[in-house]
Amino acid sequence: MTARPPVTAMLPPAPTDQVPESGRAGLSEASREHRDTLLRVAIIGNPNTGKTTLFNALTGLRQRVGNFAGVTVERVEGSVKGPDGHRFTVLDLPGSYSLSAGSPDEQVALEVLLHRDSDRWTPDVVLVVVDAVHLERNLFLTSQVLELGIPVVVALNQYDVAKDEGIAIDVPELIHALDVPIVPTVAKRGEGLDPLKRALLTAATLPPPQRRFTLPPDVRDALEPLTTCLTDAGLTRSAAGMEALRLLSVQKSEAHLATVPRLQAEVQDAIATLRHRGFQPNRLESELRYAWIADVVERTVSRPRSIKQNLSDRIDRVVLHRVLGPLIFLLLMAIVFQSVFSWAAPLMDGIEVLIGAMGGAVGDRMADGDLKSLVVDGVFGGVGAVLVFLPQIAILFAFITLLEHSGYMARAAFLMDRVMRTVGLHGKSFIPMLSGYACAVPGVMATRTIEDPKDRLATIMVVPLMSCSARLPVYTLLIGAFVPATSLLPGLTLQGATMLGMYLLGTVAALVVAAIFKRTLLKGPVRPMILELPPYRLPSAWSLLVSVAQRCQLFLRRAGTVILALSIVLWAMATYPRTIVDPSLPEGARQERQLEGSVLGQIGHAIEPMVRPLGYDWKIGVSIAASFAAREVFVSTMGTIYGVGGENEAALTDKLQTETNPTTGARVYTPLVAIGLMVFYVFALMCISTVAVTVREAGGGALGWKWASIQFAYMLVLAYGAAWIVYAGGRALGFAG
């Protein structure tokens, strides 16, 4: 194996014909001032270029996640320290094929780059990440960014893959063609990061690039009034030129068109003039840009004459097979859910022992009384019952991230396209649904890549049916307590198969409900799917670690805030008012009397008639009611209820297995009750965050609340009906209830 040469930054020639000496001196002064200021860098690129991997490599764990103001597109920012002490703040913009704003994701990126972002986040430099293997496809977005009047740096990513495939890129000639700094990078191995940071600093002191091709005179004259209108509205001359060309092919009305006087009229006048002169306005931008791109690629890229079938193509012959493909997908899902049990068990046991020891150590140092009960039973019993499941959530997110970063998720969407078409959608809708396995909130946000409004809304309505990680603690608790670890196949137990069954049940239900929506309220034609299948890649361990760490951090934050607060409230409700109990009664009976007389017990008994047909007692009923805030609260509520007043030494699973009805002596929890309870959680929408996101993504205001109410109502009816069928049907078949 030959050693690779180090990747270095390559800069364009100094623009001596554009910047006078006095201007250069001013730029140097500005550069010195930058040492103590924060340089803002916006990262943009096509999907599957390694943009997020590069972002993670630059920022490590120094990231913060939120939403763009007014929208629910995830906003990820990070901080970077440059080689000479400069500090950068880096914003990872949504992946975009262009700035044409065909989807909400692209609209967000466009607003930031045109300084229309409501947060006023103005980048000093734009870092465009391009795939060195597919340079021609990536240069369309690059050509648009070059015209925005902002300094630009290009990261020529996956440079190693291009060389391995025999693709030679004349980087100096490419710099001459683009007139911006270009840095070859290998993001997954962290190669080129230091040269990239230096290039960002250098670019901030250079004049911004200009359009790299010339408009035909007739086109330039036709667009001049529109360009002037955009300039008067606040855009730079360069950005106005890009926007004028872009607006010719806009298929739908954009909000800012109504805010700029005469803008809509100028757009229509320009379109009419161009048509009169023999041009097709909706194709003009793509024709001009791709003509320039073809010339650039011809001068800078050489490929081997005989292109052999690459590894991705050979793998796809098996993975995308009509029969083998779906079987491989099911096998992968089975491995994921079996691993959730097998690999996580030792770590879960360790966390359980640690939390128990901490609770015991704290309790031993406290006097008996309500404060001790609050700390031991409320905090350690409630929050600890949820924290035990952190290893399983980490393993689930690790697998999902691995499948996403490796390129397999796009294949799963391709495989599902045939199935999705039978319900009125296409495979692109399955990507948000797959994201729903991790969390419904980013799954709903991922629908912003779907262009058709009806398809997007139908997908939003069913994404919460995909079993998210918040359901995992509920499934794990009940499966671990009531489903035996019987081996079904080598490496697959009944527990893993049951978990897989819950996920498949939600997926099948989502497809059925989507079919109903697409044939009734959201009826519309099935559109063809255009989906890029990225090459298979081995994700970097660091990028994988960062993604999993972010999700675990969010889970811990939730456990330390929402679940902690609810656990304390529930402990108080289960403790007060104090009930006078006959001391001669057994300890278990005294605890039961105290709970029944408490506020929580009274609420539970009021709820019990509604859940009794499902086989649930008041404790399950009140735990379900509490978990409408967040599904994980079911487990913490059960931990609080069974910890209050008890010795709190036995694990929650043991307490559920031994819980009996004080009147009849019958088991409260049976396998049939556990299966029905899991089915209830498969269908019920018990997540305030998901409701809030649905309201905003479905249109906001009264329209958003209408669709969110429909979503919540149909899922609750579906949950109750399915749980009743499981319980009543199981009893009719002779299973113990």
Side-chain angles (χ1 to χ4, degrees), residues 414-480:
F414 180 84
L415 288 170
M416 290 300 297
D417 182 60
R418 185 171 46 178
V419 177
M420 298 294 287
R421 286 184 174 279
T422 64
V423 304
L425 298 173
H426 54 59
K428 206 169 185 179
S429 293
F430 195 63
I431 295 177
M433 293 169 67
L434 285 173
S435 300
Y437 281 148
C439 179
V441 172
V444 170
M445 293 191 297
T447 63
R448 298 178 71 90
T449 61
I450 301 173
E451 291 83 2
D452 184 81
K454 289 185 177 180
D455 287 354
R456 181 168 177 259
L457 188 53
T459 308
I460 288 173
M461 297 301 287
V462 302
V463 162
L465 285 169
M466 311 298 284
S467 286
C468 64
S469 60
R471 293 174 170 100
L472 194 58
V474 180
Y475 295 162
T476 303
L477 175 67
L478 296 172
I479 291 174

Side-chain angles (χ1 to χ4, degrees), residues 62-207:
R62 299 178 297 279
Q63 301 172 10
R64 53 189 179 277
V65 181
N67 289 332
F68 287 95
V71 294
T72 47
V73 175
E74 191 174 75
R75 177 185 192 128
V76 186
E77 291 186 33
S79 62
V80 182
K81 187 174 182 180
D84 55 353
H86 286 83
R87 291 189 303 118
F88 306 161
T89 180
V90 184
L91 176 64
D92 188 15
L93 293 173
S96 305
Y97 288 106
S98 71
L99 296 180
S100 300
S103 69
D105 272 357
E106 293 176 350
Q107 183 67 38
V108 165
L110 179 65
E111 289 180 355
V112 170
L113 296 177
L114 288 181
H115 304 169
R116 293 201 302 251
D117 175 39
S118 56
D119 280 347
R120 298 292 184 265
W121 203 100
T122 304
D124 300 308
V125 181
V126 179
L127 174 58
V128 184
V129 183
V130 302
D131 181 358
V133 181
H134 304 101
L135 187 60
E136 53 270 66
R137 191 166 61 209
N138 288 227
L139 283 180
F140 189 95
L141 174 65
T142 306
S143 69
Q144 291 179 314
V145 175
L146 291 175
E147 299 171 16
L148 293 174
I150 308 172
V152 173
V153 173
V154 172
L156 196 60
N157 199 31
Q158 297 164 24
Y159 196 66
D160 58 330
V161 178
K163 293 180 67 175
D164 290 343
E165 293 186 9
I167 300 172
I169 300 176
D170 187 343
V171 179
E173 181 61 28
L174 186 60
I175 291 170
H176 179 74
L178 303 186
D179 195 32
V180 294
I182 294 179
V183 184
T185 59
V186 183
K188 66 180 181 181
R189 294 204 297 262
E191 295 181 13
L193 296 187
D194 286 339
L196 185 60
K197 294 173 186 177
R198 289 193 293 270
L200 291 170
L201 287 172
T202 301
T205 68
L206 295 174

Side-chain angles (χ1 to χ4, degrees), residues 206-230:
L206 295 174
Q210 303 292 321
R211 175 174 286 157
R212 305 306 298 161
F213 57 91
T214 303
L215 295 179
D218 285 348
V219 173
R220 185 181 63 245
D221 294 343
L223 292 180
E224 182 58 32
L226 177 55
T227 303
T228 301
C229 179
L230 290 165

